[in-house]
Amino acid sequence: MPAPSATRSPAPPQFVVGIDLGTTNSALAYVALNDSARQIHAFPVPQLVSAGAVAERPTLPSFLYIGGEHDIGPGSLALPWDMRRDYAVGELARSQGARVPGRLVSSAKSWLCHGGVDREAAILPWGGSPDVPKLSPVEAAARYVQHLREAWQQRFPDAPLEAQHIVLTVPASFDEVARELTVAAAERAGLTKFVLLEEPQAAFYAWIHRHEETWQDALAQVALILVVDIGGGTTDFSLIAVKRVDDRLGFERLAVGDHLLLGGDNIDVALARTLEPRLGTRLDSQRWHALASVCREAKETLLGSTPPDEVPVSIVGRGSAVVGGLLTAALARSDVERLVLEGFFPLADADAEVRRSARVGLQEWGLPFASDPEVPRHLAQFLRRHRTAAAAASGTGAAEPDAVLFNGGALKPAVLRQRLRDQLAHWSGGRPPTVLESVDLDLAVARGAAYYGLVRRGRGIRIAGGAARSYYIGLRSEVAPEADTVRALCVVHRGMEEGEEIEVAEPAMEVIANRGVSFPLYASSTRLGEHAGQVVEAERDTLTELPPIRTVLRFGRKLHERTIPVHIQSRLTEIGTLEVWCRSLATDHRWRLQFQLRDTAVGTPAAESVANEGQQAESVVSTERLAAAAAALRAVFPAAGATAATEDPVSLVRVLEERIGAGKDAWPLAAVRKLWDVLWEGQEARGVSPQHEARWLNLSGFLLRPGFGSDTDGLRLQQLWRLKSQGMNFPRGAQCRAEWWNMWKRVAGGLTRQQQQQLYTEVAPYLLPRLKTKARNLPRVGPQEVREYWQLVASCERLSAETKAELGAALLPALSKGKGADTDLWALGRLGARAPLYGPLNCVVGRSIAAAWVEALLAPPASRADGLAFALVQLARCVGDRERDLDGDLRRRIAERLRPLRHGERAARLVLEHVPLEGTERAQILDESLPVGLQLREE
């Protein structure tokens, strides 16, 4: 029997590698660990530059092209290491995608931080044809990293990339969710061990490395350094203080800016909007993407070192096989300079405020670009917010930066760097800051990341600073949801170092095990002097609300609900991400609290531009009144084991209104949720009679509507969903059946995609012609119940766009003939809505389908005016996203149809302009009022 072979130890790392995963370009740089000179090399990336041709380029353009059967020749996408590859990343992807934009994935990094979509769902290319395979933003980013790893392997076969010391960069403004997704993308690409580094710091590290012999002299008179990093998708600001200790200089990162989706992409969109009218037609989404791509190339030429007076711009049809007519125009240098300097870099006063309602061509790709495109306004706000910290760190009391380092591809034009320097000089009384010349605006971040890898091994100058933000977990309190302050526990303080772990023992805390719990999460880059473990009353406008942490803390074999005393543990990992844990004080259990990867659907008063004229002011229900209302509920629906029901369910709502002292529509959110908790305790009592069940179901839907809004609504919906498998106690009762489906409609916003799909599966045979055969074997239902089914599925915004399209197609024929009820028009409007109330944007029905529905509704004579107006507004509402917005001519026709109707001017405005909804309009979309104190998220 042969002896077992010895297990080979992995080869030790030979290199430190820095990876810049950029919005427009990705890059890789490295340094050999045995190189005493510590020379950093840029890695020339082999990639497809034309069909079948591979060449090295300094960077890898962050574009992914999905190959089609007819648009590119067989074998054209093959790589030396993968002859069967059916997609391309890099230069060919960018150029081929300009010709066939429906197959191009771009700005994946921007999508990683878009909480309005499911970032792990296959949604890219945004607006691509249904026959084009889709990728998630995470998968697209992973393929860029994968290409770098495979290219590296070709050059260094004995030193696989995953075995090296890797530093991966992210924007300083990325929140923890975006960082987690970046980590997931890198891991999916095969990287198992790496650390994260903020991009502005990486740029400054590159400057330090290039000037190691002279930087102390160069910074002898410098106290504060501003790093302005503007790339293709994001704008990042960082302040770095120069520290002097014992005649030696050191660095501390003082502050980072909030996330700004503002960069070169925005300029390209604005240029495309300027040029589009000159082409003589409004472009469809695919040709629009092609125009924006051509504008990017023209911009780089016209803002270059020796620009021509103008550049011709041409675009063709949808694909290489079909030429839809050549469209040409010219883009002049003066046009570009005026738009860029006046629209994005105008001079501003030091007290300039960011305008929340400004909209200058920033919503063309479905991305939540910054509402104000003027970079100096954001910079002025950043410097004001951190003025106190900057003045204290400068040693002189001066808060203005006296040196600036520019980074990012958007700042390649010298005219833009000079404009920002002039702006800083204006704010500091005419004293221009010293400009620290960047190593390379495209490669500095990757080079700096490689240098940081050496710093971690004691072979370079470290920038101190630790965590750029404080993090807080919201605590339950009696404070109204729209109050100006938030009571929260600080779990990470600014400056906390990587690898540091903190356990919060005071105040004492407890959690409920074996049922869903929710932890509101906040961050702040401006609050100073707070420490982990401190309970703070923070003003909402000093906090950034992150998607909450939701989880179920499993404990014990029988999984009974129980309360467990815990300590909160927080740790900044060596990777650079945040971990939060609950440690049981009763056992040795510990649970990690996982971040949610999609934003919640509920907004806060700090959200942008929320018009709320129609919403009532929140009343405060006293403890005594709430206790009296709870007693009334228990008299009808006693808890299991308690005294039998003694009161009539029919009059229960009137009794509750009397005891609370307000009509039911005025009950505040906190009160209705507490009443539901009491109602749930008595859920078994719904089996007393059909009247009891109907009232219980009716109240459940009302008290839990719209399924979200309170921190613990997730666990409440989990409790309610248990009834789904049990069904009704009195299924033959028409009122019970009506209330059953109405309840699920009311709470649909709190259900998961799988739960909504299950409800759809149950009722679809009654709605879709193709399932008629299946419906024959099911119980017969009346027309009114079918209408309730339509309202239910229309409320399920997490159903796929394809499912909604099929439902709408089944509902439309009767409506197009002037038949059907207002409830049917309501359902069609919700199914095809341009702006979902809570659902992800990738579940919005395609604009061509919505346009066809609108045309069908416009055809018959006007009838059911209110229902028709609602449907038209939902189907055609202007959202500022070319992929969702209907054609301008069609929207103008709709507006003319709406104006003569009741409230027609307002309806027409919603179709023609991007404006937020009023409270009454949101209530109409939900088909009832919102709980007082709850506001829906506006896009």
Side-chain angles (χ1 to χ4, degrees):
M1 184 174 181
S5 59
T7 301
R8 293 183 59 184
S9 300
Q14 301 177 41
F15 301 94
V16 171
V17 179
I19 298 176
D20 173 15
L21 187 60
T23 305
T24 307
N25 289 286
S26 296
L28 186 151
Y30 64 96
V31 55
L33 287 170
N34 61 3
D35 182 0
S36 58
R38 298 178 303 161
Q39 183 175 358
I40 296 176
H41 304 273
F43 180 76
V45 185
Q47 58 196 278
L48 287 165
V49 295
S50 60
V54 174
E56 293 181 344
R57 294 292 186 265
T59 63
L60 178 72
S62 301
F63 296 84
L64 187 150
Y65 182 79
I66 301 169
E69 184 177 354
H70 304 295
D71 51 275
I72 196 164
S76 297
L77 304 181
L79 290 166
W81 54 84
D82 186 353
M83 300 303 293
R84 297 185 177 181
R85 184 148 294 182
D86 58 0
Y87 68 90
V89 298
E91 188 170 310
L92 172 64
R94 181 174 60 190
S95 59
Q96 179 69 9
R99 292 189 287 270
V100 193
R103 292 182 169 273
L104 179 67
V105 175
S106 61
S107 301
K109 183 176 179 179
S110 296
W111 287 96
L112 280 181
C113 51
H114 185 355
V117 298
D118 183 347
R119 287 164 278 187
E120 294 189 299
I123 61 175
L124 302 179
W126 187 251
S129 302
D131 60 329
V132 176
K134 300 285 200 303
L135 302 173
S136 72
V138 174
E139 177 62 25
R143 292 195 183 185
Y144 303 146
V145 179
Q146 177 187 346
H147 185 98
L148 293 173
R149 182 175 65 82
E150 293 168 339
W152 173 277
Q153 187 71 17
Q154 287 290 110
R155 183 167 178 182
F156 300 107
D158 297 326
L161 185 61
E162 58 270 25
Q164 311 312 305
H165 293 302
I166 300 172
V167 178
L168 181 64
T169 64
V170 293
S173 58
F174 259 22
D175 63 26
E176 287 306 310
V177 174
R179 288 175 181 243
E180 292 271 1
L181 290 167
T182 303
V183 169
E187 291 176 342
R188 189 174 298 185
L191 304 186
T192 56
K193 190 174 181 181
F194 50 89
V195 297
L196 300 182
L197 175 67
E198 297 167 7
E199 290 167 3
Q201 282 198 63
F204 188 62
Y205 274 126
W207 184 88
I208 293 174
H209 177 258
R210 176 62 63 88
H211 301 89
E212 276 191 313
E213 303 299 325
T214 60
W215 68 262
Q216 297 215 40
D217 293 335
L219 300 178
Q221 303 301 318
V222 171
L224 287 172
I225 301 168
L226 170 68
V227 182
V228 179
D229 185 356
I230 306 179
T234 56
T235 290
D236 257 344
F237 305 127
S238 288
L239 271 179
I240 298 173
V242 181
K243 298 292 187 179
R244 291 164 174 81
V245 180
D246 299 329
D247 295 327
R248 294 181 59 84
L249 299 184
F251 305 103
E252 178 184 0
R253 193 258 287 109
L254 291 179
V256 300
D258 293 334
H259 181 68
L260 276 179
L261 207 59
L262 176 61
D265 285 351
N266 305 74
I267 298 174
D268 303 337
V269 166
L271 286 171
R273 274 199 166 178
T274 298
L275 203 60
E276 183 181 26
R278 303 179 193 175
L279 298 176
T281 183
R282 178 176 171 82
L283 303 177
D284 56 59
S285 293
Q286 294 189 21
R287 289 198 293 177
W288 167 261
H289 282 269
L291 178 61
S293 177
V294 174
C295 283
R296 180 184 62 250
E297 298 173 4
K299 172 194 68 179
E300 293 170 354
T301 299
L302 292 169
L303 294 178
S305 55
T306 56
D309 290 334
E310 64 178 29
V311 169
V313 172
S314 300
I315 60 170
V316 292
R318 292 176 179 266
S320 58
V322 179
V323 178
L326 190 66
L327 301 175
T328 62
L331 193 60
R333 184 174 73 231
S334 57
D335 289 340
V336 176
E337 290 178 347
R338 181 175 61 256
L339 184 144
V340 173
L341 291 178
E342 296 179 8
F344 291 87
F345 295 91
L347 291 175
D349 293 332
D351 59 355
E353 296 284 348
V354 173
R355 298 167 298 177
R356 297 298 178 188
S357 60
R359 309 188 63 84
V360 184
L362 300 182
Q363 295 290 320
E364 293 290 353
W365 287 332
L367 288 166
F369 289 125
S371 58
D372 192 331
E374 296 184 7
V375 173
R377 289 180 177 270
H378 294 282
L379 180 55
Q381 179 174 281
F382 167 74
L383 293 175
R384 283 199 310 274
R385 284 181 174 178
H386 300 286
R387 187 175 185 83
T388 301
S394 68
T396 64
E400 292 78 18
D402 37 24
V404 61
L405 174 67
F406 296 117
N407 189 67
L411 290 180
K412 283 183 180 180
V415 64
L416 301 186
R417 301 196 300 274
Q418 185 59 47
R419 170 57 64 91
L420 286 173
R421 187 171 186 246
D422 292 343
Q423 180 71 87
L424 292 167
H426 173 64
W427 290 339
S428 60
R431 299 184 304 277
T434 300
V435 175
L436 307 181
E437 293 297 335
S438 174
V439 176
D440 186 311
L441 291 170
D442 283 330
L443 299 174
V445 168
R447 288 180 176 274
Y451 178 77
Y452 176 66
L454 292 176
V455 170
R456 290 175 57 85
R457 285 149 190 81
R459 299 173 64 183
I461 308 298
R462 178 183 286 268
I463 304 170
R469 296 174 178 81
S470 299
Y471 290 90
Y472 307 83
I473 289 180
L475 300 177
R476 182 181 298 181
S477 70
E478 301 304 318
V479 177
E482 76 281 13
D484 293 333
T485 60
V486 171
R487 188 166 181 261
L489 173 70
C490 180
V491 294
V492 170
H493 52 256
R494 281 184 58 182
M496 186 169 166
E497 296 292 340
E498 291 176 6
E500 185 178 352
E501 184 171 321
I502 291 177
E503 182 164 329
V504 179
E506 296 291 339
M509 302 186 71
E510 59 184 20
V511 297
I512 301 175
N514 299 323
R515 83 176 189 187
V517 290
S518 175
F519 298 85
L521 188 65
Y522 305 92
S524 176
S525 62
T526 59
R527 297 181 65 84
L528 302 173
E530 294 167 349
H531 58 82
Q534 181 178 350
V535 175
V536 301
E537 294 286 343
E539 296 79 10
R540 284 189 183 272
D541 60 5
T542 67
L543 301 174
T544 298
E545 186 172 2
L546 302 177
I549 298 175
R550 294 196 181 101
T551 189
V552 177
L553 308 181
R554 303 292 183 186
F555 182 83
R557 294 182 179 179
K558 296 184 178 181
L559 300 181
H560 293 316
E561 290 184 14
R562 58 172 294 182
T563 300
I564 299 175
V566 296
H567 284 175
I568 299 294
Q569 295 175 320
S570 56
R571 178 173 177 263
L572 281 183
T573 68
E574 295 294 338
I575 292 178
T577 57
L578 172 65
E579 290 182 357
V580 182
W581 300 76
C582 280
R583 185 178 73 82
S584 169
L585 301 182
T587 66
D588 58 357
H589 287 78
R590 197 167 75 129
W591 301 272
R592 184 177 178 187
L593 307 182
Q594 296 281 0
F595 291 100
Q596 299 301 299
L597 302 184
R598 188 178 181 276
D599 286 351
T600 56
V602 64
T604 68
E608 295 181 8
S609 305
V610 178
N612 201 33
E613 296 88 344
Q615 188 167 342
Q616 303 174 57
E618 176 160 13
S619 59
V620 177
V621 179
S622 68
T623 303
E624 294 76 16
R625 284 188 175 277
L626 197 59
L633 276 176
R634 292 190 178 100
V636 179
F637 300 106
T643 306
T646 59
E647 298 297 332
D648 178 19
V650 176
S651 60
L652 179 56
V653 173
R654 177 179 54 79
V655 173
L656 291 174
E657 289 180 326
E658 291 174 353
R659 298 199 177 182
I660 291 176
K664 64 178 184 177
D665 286 338
W667 298 350
L669 177 65
V672 298
R673 294 306 193 255
K674 287 179 180 178
L675 291 177
W676 189 86
D677 292 339
V678 175
L679 185 67
W680 174 252
E681 293 173 1
Q683 61 94 9
E684 290 186 8
R686 65 193 175 94
V688 172
S689 71
Q691 293 76 19
H692 279 79
E693 179 157 55
R695 177 58 64 201
W696 192 95
L697 295 171
N698 173 272
L699 274 177
S700 283
F702 180 79
L703 297 176
L704 275 182
R705 75 195 199 286
F708 54 83
S710 177
D711 293 338
T712 51
D713 278 352
L715 68 91
R716 293 186 176 102
L717 266 295
Q718 288 183 29
Q719 290 174 320
L720 186 65
W721 188 252
R722 296 175 192 169
L723 299 186
K724 189 67 189 62
S725 58
Q726 300 174 19
M728 290 171 277
N729 289 302
F730 302 96
R732 294 186 179 182
Q735 188 62 31
C736 289
R737 292 200 308 272
E739 296 294 355
W740 172 264
W741 295 114
N742 189 46
M743 177 185 70
W744 294 119
K745 181 199 81 169
R746 282 172 148 175
V747 304
L751 301 178
T752 66
R753 182 181 62 81
Q754 292 81 2
Q755 290 166 343
Q756 291 187 357
Q757 183 69 30
Q758 184 173 333
L759 291 170
Y760 157 79
T761 301
E762 288 189 31
V763 302
Y766 298 100
L767 308 179
L768 298 178
R770 67 177 175 84
L771 298 178
K772 279 185 177 179
T773 302
K774 185 176 180 180
R776 292 173 188 155
N777 300 320
L778 297 174
R780 297 188 65 179
V781 300
Q784 182 56 40
E785 197 161 342
V786 171
R787 289 195 175 98
E788 289 159 2
Y789 294 167
W790 278 117
Q791 289 189 295
L792 170 65
V793 295
S795 299
C796 293
E797 292 187 347
R798 294 189 174 94
L799 295 177
S800 71
E802 292 76 17
T803 297
K804 292 178 184 177
E806 184 182 14
L807 287 166
L811 186 57
L812 187 64
L815 293 174
S816 65
K817 297 175 183 177
K819 300 178 181 179
D822 278 352
T823 53
D824 299 323
L825 285 164
W826 182 92
L828 185 71
R830 284 294 303 272
L831 286 168
R834 303 296 85 204
L837 287 179
Y838 65 85
L841 299 183
N842 48 287
C843 291
V844 172
V845 167
R847 62 192 294 269
S848 61
I849 294 173
W853 294 358
V854 165
E855 293 284 9
L857 293 179
L858 291 176
S863 60
R864 304 178 315 279
D866 288 345
L868 178 64
F870 175 84
L872 290 174
V873 169
Q874 292 305 299
L875 293 170
R877 184 183 169 199
C878 178
V879 294
D881 175 5
R882 184 175 297 256
E883 189 52 42
R884 288 180 287 151
D885 276 338
L886 304 192
D887 179 76
D889 289 339
L890 177 56
R891 285 189 284 121
R892 283 186 285 274
R893 284 172 50 207
I894 297 168
E896 289 305 310
R897 181 70 170 269
L898 292 171
R899 283 196 175 98
L901 304 179
R902 188 166 60 115
H903 308 303
E905 286 298 331
R906 171 66 183 178
R909 188 181 176 203
L910 286 168
V911 169
L912 296 176
E913 303 175 34
H914 186 120
V915 291
L917 295 175
E918 297 175 351
T920 53
E921 291 162 342
R922 292 194 293 274
Q924 188 181 13
I925 294 172
L926 281 171
D927 201 28
E928 63 183 331
S929 65
L930 283 168
V932 177
L934 184 147
Q935 294 182 10
L936 295 176
R937 178 193 63 203
E938 278 291 315
E939 292 176 84

